[in-house]
Amino acid sequence: MLLVEPQTHTALPSNRAEWLDRHLARVCILSELTPTQFRKAEEKYQAVGDWLATDGSSLAVFAPEVYSQGSMLLGTTVRPYGQSEYDLDLVCQLHWCAQQPPLTIYDWVHERIAANEIYREMLEKLKRCLRLNYAGSFHLDILPACPNDRIGNGSIIVPDRKLECWKHSNPKGFAKWFLDRCQLRDELAERMLKASVEPLPSAVPSQYKFPLQRIVQLMKRHRDIYFSGGRDIARSVILTTLAGRFYKGQRSLSLALEGVLDGIHFALEANPTVPRVENPTHPGENFADTWDQAKYEQFKSYIRNFRTGLKALLNPSLTEQRMGLEKSTERLGHLFGSDRVKEVIRIEANELNERRNSGKLGIAAGGVLTARSQAGSAAVPRNQFFGR
Amino acid sequence: MNRIKTIGIRDQAAWVRTRNPGFRCDVTGGLLTCRGLLQPGPMNATYDVVIEYRVGTWPKVYVPGDQLRPLEPGGKIPHTYAPAEPCVFYPSRSSWRSDMKLSHTIIPWLSLWLTFYEMWRATGEWHGGGISHGAVKELEPAA
């Protein structure tokens, strides 16, 4: 999964979709965990796992196993709106415990974590999970769980403190479904998002991502902008499920996103009343069980807004085309936040300057800027713009 | 002194037309005027541009009419001599000489300038670098 991103000597985009592919990938890269943050988060959660499982731990007899779930496992992290801290979800799965009352399991895990002086200071009790706050960068939400032996296949049950009951879950099964969907085309070239580029050309290469992972990140980012940070109408799990269901394996990020939004849009338009969004790995579980008609209408308008905006970027009217980059930047800003989009433009300007200064900028017939390596192009000599 | 092999005005016109088949070029009394459409990249607008050049002077570029707009009415567009006249190079013989082809220097520089102009319109910041008029004491005569 972790592959090197393409370099800046690749051709400059020759059409709008290619330009958008690159731009959208950069919006994602600026919104996700950096490789350093990712490694740090992994270290932290492995340390928690060791603390829970080590000899002498009160939980050792249950052979606890800590693994990531949600966006960290799916590769779809997005920094929450207006915050610097990422939510990272972990499962602390015990064994041979399904016969215990749900609250007992929750309390056992809580007790063991609190037995560590450092963790005690950072620990917070939430409805279903225990939260460790790593101030300024992320928090780890640890979900105590027992295997659901009746179903198997990675199924677990998790305590609900409020309802004092067990809830079904299957993060491993869901991730397997999602990552299968990511690889819808089996050729390597089809699977990788060629257009995504590291924010700063000289920095450490970031991760390759599948277009579907980027699509989910973009849907989450637009959700955060559209609902000003509100997440309950368009929960990440709903977005991930719908994106996975309607993705058809396109390689271009912008065209794949358009396809997904078309698919969702038409499915919703065919459903005037509140539909179910079934868990693909646990039929019968409705991810959209909190939707009422009003929330559903808001979800529809979020999809409509996203789709209209993206289509205008891919196929602008003549008037918008005449306004050039300025209009596209404005439209992208409405979708993903204007500060984020301007930051990407800045990165693109730096990249252009780097090509310019290293003799890698070319000009094709007709005056179109391109990579020097492009056949038929002529090198653009260095120049200095003059004037006030 | 290094000898420069000045490119004749008709050869300059031929190069511009070869590289930019859509351009119309005209030589009258030693003055070359080329006019055509330039779209620097897929996201950019298409501009109607004019290049003027006479051997022994600096080439000039124009983006006529109100195609270029300041951020606010009456405001200044960075790196321009006049609202419709971008400065695409620093007028010194180390930047441009008469043995250089307009088609390989002035036109790509104008494409670059237009790219940075649109980024400036989009972000309010000029990312293209350059030298400001104030930083220069005396301009050299054209080669």
Side-chain angles (χ1 to χ4, degrees):
Chain A
M1 283 285 301
L2 304 183
L3 297 162
V4 177
E5 296 273 334
Q7 303 301 309
T8 53
H9 58 235
T10 53
L12 280 161
S14 62
N15 59 48
R16 297 184 73 91
E18 278 178 24
W19 187 91
L20 280 168
D21 288 351
R22 220 174 268 216
H23 189 95
L24 296 177
R26 283 180 161 136
V27 167
C28 294
I29 290 171
L30 291 178
S31 310
E32 70 194 11
L33 286 168
T34 64
T36 314
Q37 287 174 314
F38 192 87
R39 274 195 302 276
K40 193 177 160 206
E42 270 186 331
E43 270 171 38
K44 298 293 179 200
Y45 95 66
Q46 276 155 10
V48 177
D50 290 346
W51 172 250
L52 293 169
T54 190
D55 287 346
S57 159
S58 53
L59 298 177
V61 293
F62 297 106
E65 186 191 335
V66 174
Y67 53 88
S68 60
Q69 65 151 332
S71 64
M72 198 178 171
L73 184 58
L74 303 174
T76 58
T77 55
V78 168
R79 194 183 314 131
Y81 183 73
Q83 290 173 38
S84 56
E85 292 186 6
Y86 293 84
D87 297 302
L88 301 173
D89 299 318
L90 303 178
V91 175
C92 171
Q93 185 178 326
L94 308 181
H95 294 86
W96 316 291
C97 56
Q99 306 308 320
Q100 303 290 337
L103 286 188
T104 310
I105 301 298
Y106 183 94
D107 289 338
W108 284 350
V109 175
H110 177 255
E111 249 166 58
R112 175 59 189 168
I113 296 176
N116 181 309
E117 271 175 45
I118 299 165
Y119 291 150
R120 198 184 307 143
E121 304 295 313
M122 309 156 60
L123 188 60
E124 194 184 332
K125 279 182 161 186
L126 300 182
K127 192 174 103 182
R128 280 192 209 176
C129 63
L130 295 152
R131 171 169 290 182
L132 284 175
N133 279 306
Y134 290 85
S137 50
F138 52 83
H139 42 252
L140 297 179
D141 286 347
I142 303 164
L143 185 70
C146 295
N148 189 342
D149 296 323
R150 205 165 40 80
I151 300 178
N153 281 330
S155 269
I156 54 174
I157 47 176
V158 300
D160 187 310
R161 269 174 77 211
K162 211 154 127 203
L163 301 173
E164 297 190 21
C165 65
W166 290 108
K167 287 260 183 196
H168 166 88
S169 187
N170 189 352
K172 280 184 179 171
F174 188 79
K176 186 184 176 302
W177 172 81
F178 181 74
L179 293 171
D180 281 350
R181 300 298 299 171
C182 283
Q183 301 178 53
L184 211 57
R185 295 280 175 88
D186 56 3
E187 279 173 62
L188 193 70
E190 293 284 333
R191 282 193 262 148
M192 290 166 197
L193 185 57
K194 288 243 165 98
S196 56
V197 202
E198 179 66 14
L200 293 167
S202 54
V204 184
S206 174
Q207 297 164 269
Y208 251 121
K209 290 247 158 120
F210 293 101
L212 181 53
Q213 291 170 307
R214 294 277 187 235
I215 288 171
V216 172
Q217 288 180 304
L218 292 168
M219 292 182 75
K220 286 159 81 168
R221 179 70 193 167
H222 180 55
R223 179 243 351 243
D224 291 347
I225 299 295
Y226 189 78
F227 296 112
S228 307
R231 292 186 154 193
D232 59 321
I233 292 170
R235 293 169 59 206
S236 297
V237 70
I238 295 180
L239 300 181
T240 310
T241 303
L242 293 177
R245 190 182 297 166
F246 289 102
Y247 177 60
K248 297 217 166 58
Q250 299 96 319
R251 175 179 139 190
S252 154
L253 174 55
S254 55
L255 298 178
L257 178 60
E258 187 190 28
V260 164
L261 293 174
D262 280 346
I264 299 176
H265 173 75
F266 290 118
L268 299 182
E269 292 307 309
N271 269 299
T273 54
V274 183
R276 296 169 59 83
V277 178
E278 298 246 337
N279 179 344
T281 58
H282 188 242
E285 182 182 1
N286 177 17
F287 286 142
D289 57 359
T290 58
W291 277 356
D292 54 21
Q293 194 67 39
K295 283 185 177 174
Y296 177 49
E297 294 304 326
Q298 281 186 281
F299 185 81
K300 279 209 272 195
S301 71
Y302 146 79
I303 293 291
R304 213 177 297 126
N305 186 63
F306 199 175
R307 181 171 173 263
T308 310
L310 182 71
K311 284 193 182 283
L313 282 160
L314 282 165
N315 308 298
S317 69
L318 216 56
T319 318
E320 294 203 1
Q321 215 171 328
R322 280 201 201 103
M323 295 176 69
L325 186 69
E326 186 184 355
K327 186 69 197 176
S328 308
T329 305
E330 186 192 312
R331 285 212 172 262
L332 285 161
H334 287 154
L335 294 180
F336 308 113
S338 103
D339 288 353
R340 185 69 40 94
V341 167
K342 283 180 184 171
E343 204 177 336
V344 174
I345 299 282
R346 216 167 290 137
I347 290 163
E348 285 160 353
N350 287 343
E351 191 191 83
L352 186 59
N353 281 322
E354 189 156 290
R355 282 174 191 271
R356 209 177 146 193
N357 296 334
S358 58
K360 284 186 192 140
L361 188 66
I363 188 103
V368 179
L369 293 172
T370 182
R372 176 64 193 95
S373 52
Q374 196 82 354
S377 76
V380 177
R382 288 185 67 166
N383 69 323
Q384 293 269 26
F385 297 123
F386 185 53
R388 284 163 293 146
Chain B
M1 212 170 104
N2 288 335
R3 282 185 73 111
I4 287 172
K5 201 168 179 297
T6 295
I7 299 173
I9 204 79
R10 296 204 177 267
D11 285 345
Q12 287 284 15
W15 273 109
V16 170
R17 272 200 310 268
T18 306
R19 296 293 298 176
N20 302 274
F23 275 48
R24 278 198 348 262
C25 293
D26 171 66
V27 183
T28 312
L31 176 71
L32 169 66
T33 307
C34 296
R35 184 161 192 161
L37 299 178
L38 206 55
Q39 187 188 17
M43 301 306 280
N44 299 118
T46 301
Y47 297 87
D48 170 25
V49 305
V50 178
I51 290 131
E52 276 185 8
Y53 173 60
R54 183 190 294 279
V55 173
T57 66
W58 299 113
K60 288 171 177 266
V61 300
Y62 300 97
V63 186
D66 58 356
Q67 296 180 84
L68 303 179
R69 290 170 304 136
L71 291 178
E72 65 274 336
K76 174 82 176 70
I77 302 168
H79 299 287
T80 51
Y81 292 113
E85 192 184 352
C87 326
V88 300
F89 65 99
Y90 173 59
S92 107
R93 264 160 287 175
S94 60
S95 319
W96 197 85
R97 295 182 317 266
S98 59
D99 61 344
M100 291 177 169
K101 295 168 193 137
L102 298 172
S103 57
H104 289 60
T105 53
I106 303 300
I107 291 177
W109 292 343
L110 179 55
S111 280
L112 253 183
W113 188 93
L114 289 166
T115 304
F116 286 115
Y117 161 77
E118 288 200 8
M119 287 177 168
W120 171 73
R121 288 281 314 175
T123 65
E125 292 164 38
W126 181 265
H127 296 291
I131 297 169
S132 74
H133 284 164
V136 181
K137 291 200 183 85
E138 206 175 310
L139 299 181
E140 296 176 45

